[in-house]
Amino acid sequence: MDVSIDAITNNIQLALAPVFLLTAVATLINAISARLARSVDRMRAIQHRIQEGGIQDPEMLAHMMTEANEAKVRGRLCTAAIFFDVLSGVFISLTVLELFFFQAGAVRSLQGTYVILTFVLGLMSFMTSLSIVLAEVVYAYRSAGWNTPFPK
């Protein structure tokens, strides 16, 4: 185990390189959480208006029920995206730990296999999360209520 300052500095630099990806993961979690909150708030507002009983027009009531269901679907998509984003963060964090311990000489067996596996799984989880976010954005646009019936 090399304990020189240069070796320690090199080990820390190598282990911290994937941390920049963790910043992207955290930023995406923040953005998805905001989308989830808006979807949940919209669904609650619609349900509240329906439960008040002030809506008499059956066409408008059906439209609001459809919009509430669409908000539920959007919430599920956001939740799935957050799951894969957090999973990505876990894998990338494991990669950072592995790189640090392997470079420090604490562990030597199968070092390349674990680092590659956790990094690739982290990237795949991140890409899955991005794909789900894209699907949620497209779904949100398509279900935006462009054809809302107006009361007669």
Side-chain angles (χ1 to χ4, degrees):
M1 180 178 203
D2 190 3
V3 290
S4 70
I5 293 295
D6 291 335
I8 292 171
T9 303
N10 186 39
N11 293 343
I12 290 172
Q13 288 173 345
L14 181 63
L16 290 181
V19 171
F20 293 107
L21 182 56
L22 285 175
T23 303
V25 167
T27 303
L28 186 59
I29 288 173
N30 189 31
I32 301 168
S33 295
R35 294 189 68 80
L36 177 61
R38 288 191 63 174
S39 180
V40 168
D41 289 345
R42 181 66 184 145
M43 184 179 58
R44 286 182 180 158
I46 293 168
Q47 288 176 341
H48 180 70
R49 281 194 62 199
I50 291 171
Q51 289 172 355
E52 282 180 335
I55 301 169
Q56 302 301 323
D57 183 17
E59 187 179 346
M60 183 64 161
L61 188 60
H63 175 77
M64 290 183 78
M65 293 295 287
T66 300
E67 193 174 346
N69 288 333
E70 289 170 348
K72 279 186 201 176
V73 171
R74 288 184 57 203
R76 288 182 183 133
L77 287 169
C78 287
T79 303
I82 289 171
F83 171 80
F84 282 105
D85 209 24
V86 169
L87 190 62
S88 172
V90 168
F91 284 129
I92 298 302
S93 296
L94 283 172
T95 302
V96 170
L97 285 173
E98 290 163 354
L99 285 170
F100 181 77
F101 285 125
F102 292 144
Q103 288 299 315
V107 179
R108 287 286 180 208
S109 64
L110 301 173
Q111 66 181 7
T113 304
Y114 288 128
V115 172
I116 291 170
L117 180 65
T118 55
F119 190 71
V120 167
L121 287 173
L123 285 177
M124 288 174 56
S125 295
F126 189 68
M127 290 186 311
T128 302
S129 177
L130 286 173
S131 299
I132 294 171
V133 169
L134 177 62
E136 191 273 333
V137 168
V138 169
Y139 187 80
Y141 178 78
R142 294 187 63 159
S143 66
W146 303 112
N147 299 319
T148 302
F150 292 103
K152 297 169 182 151

